[in-house]
Amino acid sequence: MNYVLYNPLASAGKGKENFEQAKSLIDKEFQEYTSVNLEEYKPEEFFPSLKSEDKVLVLGGDGTLNVFVNNIKNYNVDCDLYYYKGGNGNDFLEDVKETPDQKLVYLNPYFKRLPKITVNGMTRYYVNGIGYGIDGMVCEVADKMKAEGKTDINYASLSIKLLLHGYKCPMATAVVDGKEYQFKKVWLCSAMNGRYYGGGMKIAPGQDRLGDTLSLSVIHNAGKLRTLLIFPKIFKGEHVKNKKMSTILTGKKITVTFTHPMALQIDGETVTNVTTYTVEA
């Protein structure tokens, strides 16, 4: 049996529309299948019913993939899994695609090892990365704007506004595989499984999601103007050339503690009031 799982809330509520648009292409790959609305399915019933010969395709963005990962990790599933582009955020696809127009990805190799984050008493898996700093605050402010009914949210301009007015840099202590590091004026502090997050920001250009370590990427020790100048370079991964402002550490277990609480994002999902987090590869 083949299944296509789609999220109607993806792409700001256009998930069903995305599914209909992708249907002809999915038909070529899967021919016969059952479509499943992720808002209505029950993981505790769906995953135990799967057989090794089944195929499951997930249609959505990074957020949908994150929900799927945290659902499926509770069960012993050994069938073939696929991902199809169908959301606003597609940093996972950007990281793994082999051709510019690729939309379908075989997931199994990427699910063999997935990192976990423990924060505010919660532990969960993630796909792309953990963001703390400006990106976490942007997600927090964007969530408030969405709750007010606003839909035209420009994350790039919002980042610049917060950088210039509103964001207060914490200091951070990072412990990477037992070794301690200190950082002042922290603007970004991201624990990455992939290279991209935040809609195409190449924050950890050397990270290999098929490896066995994570990358902690820190933008630090600079004022507003220098930070504003380095931000555009993150989209190409060129920020790492500035060794005074950019530090990347790799390890299997990373704990970061900050001097004051702020928001953190997990594959785009906001967690507020965070002073420390731990990630494990």
Side-chain angles (χ1 to χ4, degrees), residues 4-6 14-30 33 57-60 83-87 103-104:
V4 175
L5 279 60
Y6 71 94
K14 296 182 179 180
K16 177 66 173 177
E17 182 179 327
N18 288 339
F19 172 63
E20 294 299 333
Q21 291 176 352
K23 195 172 183 300
S24 61
L25 295 176
I26 294 173
D27 287 344
K28 294 179 181 179
E29 298 288 342
F30 290 86
Y33 59 85
L57 181 146
V58 186
L59 174 70
Y83 169 76
Y84 193 92
K85 178 181 178 180
K103 293 183 178 181
L104 183 69

Side-chain angles (χ1 to χ4, degrees), residues 162-167 185 187 222-229:
L162 291 174
L163 189 154
L164 295 174
H165 306 285
Y167 180 79
K185 292 186 178 180
W187 294 94
K224 293 181 179 180
L225 181 58
R226 288 175 62 201
T227 304
L228 185 63
L229 292 174

Side-chain angles (χ1 to χ4, degrees), residues 113-270:
R113 180 202 62 82
L114 283 170
K116 293 188 291 186
I117 176 173
T118 299
V119 58
N120 289 1
M122 169 187 69
T123 299
R124 63 181 301 166
Y125 293 93
Y126 65 96
V127 178
N128 297 320
I130 304 304
Y132 188 101
I134 283 284
D135 55 326
M137 192 174 184
V138 165
C139 289
E140 182 182 24
V141 173
D143 286 348
K144 293 178 180 178
M145 294 172 68
K146 291 175 184 177
E148 295 170 354
K150 298 179 181 179
T151 56
D152 186 18
I153 302 174
N154 187 311
Y155 286 81
S157 63
L158 188 56
S159 298
I160 294 173
K161 289 179 181 178
L162 291 174
L163 189 154
L164 295 174
H165 306 285
Y167 180 79
K168 296 181 179 180
C169 292
M171 293 188 293
T173 300
V175 179
V176 181
D177 290 345
K179 188 175 181 179
E180 184 175 298
Y181 304 84
Q182 299 286 338
F183 299 100
K184 297 179 179 180
K185 292 186 178 180
V186 174
W187 294 94
L188 293 173
C189 191
S190 310
M192 301 299 297
N193 182 47
R195 294 176 296 167
Y196 296 89
Y197 76 169
M201 297 174 70
K202 200 173 184 180
I203 189 68
Q207 173 62 16
D208 177 10
R209 66 170 62 241
L210 293 178
D212 61 355
T213 59
L214 303 173
S215 293
L216 181 70
S217 182
V218 189
I219 303 296
H220 60 97
N221 201 34
K224 293 181 179 180
L225 181 58
R226 288 175 62 201
T227 304
L228 185 63
L229 292 174
I230 202 175
F231 252 67
K233 297 181 180 180
I234 297 176
F235 286 90
K236 293 184 178 181
E238 295 178 350
H239 61 289
V240 297
K241 296 178 182 179
N242 190 325
K243 303 299 182 182
K244 293 183 179 180
M245 290 179 61
S246 175
T247 298
I248 294 184
L249 305 169
T250 59
K252 294 185 177 182
K253 183 176 182 179
I254 302 169
T255 297
V256 191
T257 304
F258 305 89
T259 50
H260 61 258
M262 294 185 64
L264 169 151
Q265 62 89 6
I266 307 171
D267 286 341
E269 180 182 344
T270 310

Side-chain angles (χ1 to χ4, degrees), residues 65-110:
L65 195 56
N66 179 281
V67 172
F68 179 74
V69 162
N70 280 281
N71 283 337
I72 199 172
K73 277 297 184 178
N74 292 320
Y75 306 93
N76 185 21
V77 176
D78 63 353
C79 66
D80 286 339
L81 307 172
Y82 298 84
Y83 169 76
Y84 193 92
K85 178 181 178 180
N88 284 333
N90 297 108
D91 288 312
F92 170 76
L93 181 62
E94 183 67 23
D95 193 29
V96 305
K97 66 183 182 183
E98 298 178 358
T99 60
D101 59 349
Q102 182 179 347
K103 293 183 178 181
L104 183 69
V105 177
Y106 181 56
L107 287 176
N108 293 58
Y110 304 105

